């Protein structure tokens, strides 16, 4: 193997070390290492004029547009309004109150950033548990799990799906059709699994009534802004569903929606630049370059060759890939793991394996993100919020103690679902 290839693999290895074990400055480190691969010319095709073929600008544009739209929505108070409304509707029925909040989490995470959903809902969960004198741990862990499950149902629901859609070319509607049902099934199973933590006595129910007296309208900060921003957001989602018919890229739709909201609020790019998560955008750009490097030096093909040894038995290779992904993603993390494994899936599909293999990966990877805090960034943020709330460290091991059962049960269901999808043909 040429020295350039060895050096490229070493740099990618260092990058993944920082992804898994790094505490700070991950984005500049990862992007910097990816630039090092380009500067040293370790692989061909990383010239500036060719970079758009390596870094998926459509995905980055979609992310940037949705970041702007969601930030304007967040500032209106619409999410707090909906959360309080659900509490009032639930009344004394605590189980239905929590279930209603989890429905809100699932729907929000399907169309918004998973991290934003956790940040918005966690304070409401803490308010409820504080008022009722309940342990917040099971309720926030439930929120984290549902956040990941809801996000798996759409192309824009999770960063993992965005990258998967980018590599596979699958459409917005493809994700809803193929991931929606297992997302709903997993949601119901997890709610049932956590139901025992929702049993409360009469004293708690009386306290719950106090929450019902809160006027949800007080949560709305700007009614006109809320109506306009929600209208634009709904319009963007509708155009997402029609994008393959209209032959318009998702990034154009999201960015146009963001521009419309900016103009309505009389904001320039300088005004909203702090609303954009630049770290995430540069982190993804770096990962795309590193993933490309792995593919160019032959690592991705070598991984694909391992799986081709299982022949073309759909059940056998679906089993191996599903559980390989299920155990790898919780440690590699959703997006970095996907940018290693998804190109391998593409090679397998191009070599004659069923195109349904994309859904084997999608179901397995999304459900696997729940197992460890490393699985997704919202897991880490949720764990940190919980540590602050309970006044002690909520450890890695304690997180896994709560997460392993929903992970295992939903993954088993996901595997059966994946087999049904694959054996339908394609």
């Amino acid at each position: 193997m040429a020295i350039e290839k060895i050096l490229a693999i070493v740099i990618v290895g260092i990058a993944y070390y920082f992804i898994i074990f790094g505490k700070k400055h991950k984005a500049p480190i990862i992007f910097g290492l990816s630039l090092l691969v380009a500067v040293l010319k370790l692989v061909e095709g990383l010239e500036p004029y060719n970079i758009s073929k390596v870094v998926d600008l459509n995905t980055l544009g979609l992310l940037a547009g949705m970041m702007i739209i969601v930030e304007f929505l967040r500032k209106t108070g619409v999410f707090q309004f909906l959360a309080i409304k659900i509490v009032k509707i639930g009344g004394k029925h605590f189980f239905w109150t929590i279930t209603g909040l989890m429905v809100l989490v699932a729907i929000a995470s399907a169309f918004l950033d998973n991290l934003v959903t956790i940040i918005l809902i966690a304070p409401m969960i803490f308010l409820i548990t504080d008022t009722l004198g309940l342990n917040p741990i099971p309720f926030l862990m439930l929120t984290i799990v549902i956040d990941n499950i809801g996000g798996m149902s759409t192309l824009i629901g999770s960063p993992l799906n965005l990258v998967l859609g980018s590599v596979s070319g699958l459409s917005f509607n493809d994700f809803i059709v193929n991931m929606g049902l297992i997302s709903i099934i997993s949601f119901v199973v997890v709610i049932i699994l956590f139901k025992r933590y929702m049993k409360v006595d009469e004293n708690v129910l009386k306290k719950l009534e106090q929450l019902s007296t809160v006027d949800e309208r007080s949560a709305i900060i700007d009614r006109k802004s809320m109506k306009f921003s929600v209208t634009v957001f709904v319009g963007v989602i509708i155009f997402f569903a029609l994008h393959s018919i209209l032959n318009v890229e998702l990034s154009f739709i999201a960015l146009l929606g963001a521009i419309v909201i900016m103009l309505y609020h009389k904001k320039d790019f300088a005004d909203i630049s702090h609303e954009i998560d630049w770290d995430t955008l540069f982190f993804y750009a770096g990962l795309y370059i590193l993933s490309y490097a792995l593919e160019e030096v032959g690592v991705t093909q070598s991984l694909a060759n391992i799986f081709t040894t299982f022949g073309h038995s759909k059940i056998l290779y679906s089993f191996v890939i599903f559980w390989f992904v299920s155990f790898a993603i919780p440690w590699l993390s959703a997006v970095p793991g996907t940018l290693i494994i998804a190109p391998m899936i593409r090679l397998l599909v191009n070599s004659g394996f069923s195109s349904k293999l994309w859904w084997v990966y999608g179901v397995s990877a999304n459900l696997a993100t729940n197992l460890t805090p490393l699985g997704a960034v919202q897991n880490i943020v949720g764990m940190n919020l919980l540590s602050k709330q309970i006044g002690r460290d909520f450890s890695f091991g304690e997180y896994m103690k709560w997460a392993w059962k929903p992970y295992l049960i939903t993954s088993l269901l996901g595997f059966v679902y994946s087999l049904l999808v694959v054996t339908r043909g394609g």
Side-chain angles (χ1 to χ4, degrees):
M1 184 180 288
I3 187 66
E4 289 86 356
K5 290 185 177 182
I6 295 173
L7 190 53
I9 293 171
V10 169
I11 290 174
V12 173
I14 293 171
Y16 272 82
Y17 172 84
F18 280 103
I19 289 169
I20 297 171
F21 301 107
K23 300 294 183 182
K24 295 180 180 179
H25 314 303
K26 285 187 181 183
I29 290 172
I30 301 310
F31 190 68
L33 288 169
S34 72
L35 288 179
L36 190 59
V37 173
V39 168
L40 296 176
K41 301 186 185 305
L42 300 180
V43 296
E44 295 181 1
L46 291 180
E47 296 78 13
Y49 63 81
N50 196 53
I51 206 68
S52 64
K53 296 178 182 178
V54 176
V55 177
D56 190 344
L57 299 181
N58 184 49
T59 297
L60 299 188
L62 173 58
L63 273 170
M66 291 307 293
M67 284 173 187
I68 295 170
I69 293 171
V70 168
E71 188 59 28
F72 277 102
L73 274 173
R74 185 187 66 80
K75 289 181 177 179
T76 66
V78 63
F79 301 109
Q80 290 83 352
F81 168 85
L82 291 171
I84 295 170
K85 192 72 175 175
I86 288 169
V87 170
K88 294 185 77 169
I89 292 171
K92 279 191 170 185
H93 304 286
F94 185 62
F95 172 77
W96 293 113
T97 296
I98 296 298
T99 300
L101 280 172
M102 291 307 108
V103 170
L104 175 61
V105 169
I107 294 174
S109 63
F111 298 104
L112 308 177
D113 184 86
N114 301 78
L115 179 57
V116 171
T117 304
I118 284 292
I119 291 171
L120 290 171
I121 298 296
M124 196 65 203
I125 295 295
F126 294 148
L127 173 64
I128 291 173
T129 54
D130 276 353
T131 303
L132 304 184
L134 298 173
N135 180 5
I137 293 176
F139 298 100
L140 195 69
M141 284 302 301
L142 172 62
T143 304
I144 292 171
V145 172
I146 293 297
D147 187 31
N148 290 326
I149 287 173
M152 72 184 282
S153 61
T154 68
L155 172 63
I156 61 170
S158 72
L160 187 160
N161 283 1
L162 279 171
V163 173
L164 182 59
S166 164
V167 176
S168 66
L170 297 166
S171 72
F172 185 85
N173 292 342
D174 288 334
F175 274 85
I176 293 176
V177 170
N178 290 280
M179 301 286 277
L181 179 58
I182 187 60
S183 181
I184 293 170
I185 292 171
S186 299
F187 175 92
V188 173
V189 168
V190 170
I191 290 293
I192 293 172
L193 197 60
F194 277 79
K195 187 177 180 180
R196 63 194 181 103
Y197 300 107
M198 303 180 203
K199 294 178 181 178
V200 292
D201 56 31
E202 192 64 31
N203 184 47
V204 170
L205 292 178
K206 288 179 181 179
K207 292 179 181 178
L208 188 60
E209 275 190 298
Q210 296 174 9
L211 283 177
S212 300
T213 62
V214 177
D215 184 1
E216 66 273 17
R217 291 172 296 182
S218 64
I220 300 174
I221 298 167
D222 187 332
R223 189 173 297 276
K224 284 186 178 180
S225 176
M226 182 189 76
K227 288 181 179 179
F228 187 84
S229 300
V230 168
T231 300
V232 172
F233 174 71
V234 172
V236 166
I237 298 303
I238 291 171
F239 278 105
F240 279 170
L242 298 174
H243 84 99
S244 56
I245 298 172
L246 300 173
N247 195 28
V248 178
E249 297 293 346
L250 292 175
S251 59
F252 292 163
I253 297 170
L255 289 168
L256 278 172
I259 294 295
V260 169
I261 288 184
M262 285 171 60
L263 292 175
Y264 175 82
H265 291 90
K266 299 178 181 178
K267 298 291 185 181
D268 292 320
F269 283 109
D271 300 321
I272 57 92
S273 61
H274 62 284
E275 315 290 6
I276 298 174
D277 187 349
W278 296 105
D279 276 354
T280 294
L281 297 180
F282 279 100
F283 182 70
Y284 283 14
L287 284 175
Y288 273 115
I289 294 172
L290 295 173
S291 173
Y292 173 83
L294 283 180
E295 202 163 352
E296 286 297 297
V297 300
V299 171
T300 306
Q301 184 63 61
S302 297
L303 282 173
N305 291 341
I306 293 172
F307 289 97
T308 57
T309 60
F310 295 100
H312 287 267
S313 167
K314 290 181 178 180
I315 293 178
L316 180 59
Y317 69 64
S318 295
F319 173 85
V320 173
I321 289 174
F322 186 97
W323 292 108
F324 165 72
V325 170
S326 188
F327 291 121
I329 288 297
W331 308 99
L332 289 175
S333 192
V335 173
T338 298
L339 278 169
I340 287 179
I341 302 172
M344 179 198 77
I345 301 293
R346 182 175 58 200
L347 289 173
L348 290 173
V349 171
N350 290 342
S351 69
F353 283 70
S354 170
S355 61
K356 301 290 184 180
L357 203 54
W358 288 118
W359 305 119
V360 175
Y361 179 83
V363 172
S364 177
N366 274 283
L367 294 174
T369 58
N370 279 317
L371 180 60
T372 73
L374 295 174
V377 65
Q378 60 269 17
N379 300 3
I380 296 173
V381 171
M383 192 171 75
N384 291 338
L385 289 172
L386 195 50
S387 294
K388 291 179 182 178
Q389 180 67 17
I390 62 179
R392 64 172 177 81
D393 180 49
F394 185 70
S395 68
F396 193 103
E398 195 171 359
Y399 177 98
M400 288 192 66
K401 180 182 176 182
W402 284 94
W404 76 267
K405 192 176 291 185
Y407 152 77
L408 182 59
I409 294 174
T410 56
S411 291
L412 287 170
L413 288 170
F415 174 63
V416 173
Y417 176 83
S418 297
L419 286 182
L420 292 174
V421 169
V422 168
T423 53
R424 283 208 309 261

